[in-house]
């Protein structure tokens, strides 16, 4: 594990890491930083050639999900603030 992989991710950050495997492919992993933990989004072992079309849709979905959760969290904070007044 590299120093970058060992460092905790900031909430909302996505870490994409890859390394060569013995058969000439790439082992690609995507992780998402949350407020209290880090989660494995996906693992693609042994990808050959241009693997970005395989990985890109997952990263787009996660980015959209994070944006939606951020808006929902902000709306909840605002609703709680307005209800307290």
């Amino acid at each position: 594990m590299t120093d970058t992989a060992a460092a905790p991710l900031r909430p909302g950050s996505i870490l994409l890491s890859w390394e060569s495997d013995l058969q000439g492919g790439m082992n690609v992993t995507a992780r998402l930083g949350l407020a209290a933990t880090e989660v494995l989004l996906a693992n693609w072992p042994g990808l050959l050639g241009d693997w970005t079309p395989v990985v890109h849709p997952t990263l787009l979905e996660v980015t959209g999900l994070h944006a939606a959760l951020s808006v929902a969290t902000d709306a909840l904070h605002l609703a709680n603030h307005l209800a307290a007044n």
Side-chain angles (χ1 to χ4, degrees):
M1 183 175 277
T2 65
D3 290 338
T4 304
L9 293 175
R10 291 187 338 240
S13 296
I14 300 170
L15 174 66
L16 185 63
S17 59
W18 58 92
E19 61 183 27
S20 298
D21 67 9
L22 297 176
Q23 290 76 31
M26 286 286 177
N27 296 325
V28 181
T29 303
R31 299 185 187 289
L32 172 66
L34 298 175
T37 190
E38 181 180 308
V39 294
L40 175 66
L41 295 174
N43 186 25
W44 299 274
L47 293 176
L48 298 172
D50 181 11
W51 45 264
T52 54
V54 175
V55 174
H56 192 254
T58 299
L59 298 181
L60 281 179
E61 290 170 355
V62 169
T63 303
L65 175 61
H66 181 264
L69 289 173
S70 294
V71 169
T73 300
D74 290 345
L76 181 60
H77 288 301
L78 178 59
N80 287 337
H81 175 73
L82 294 174
N85 291 329

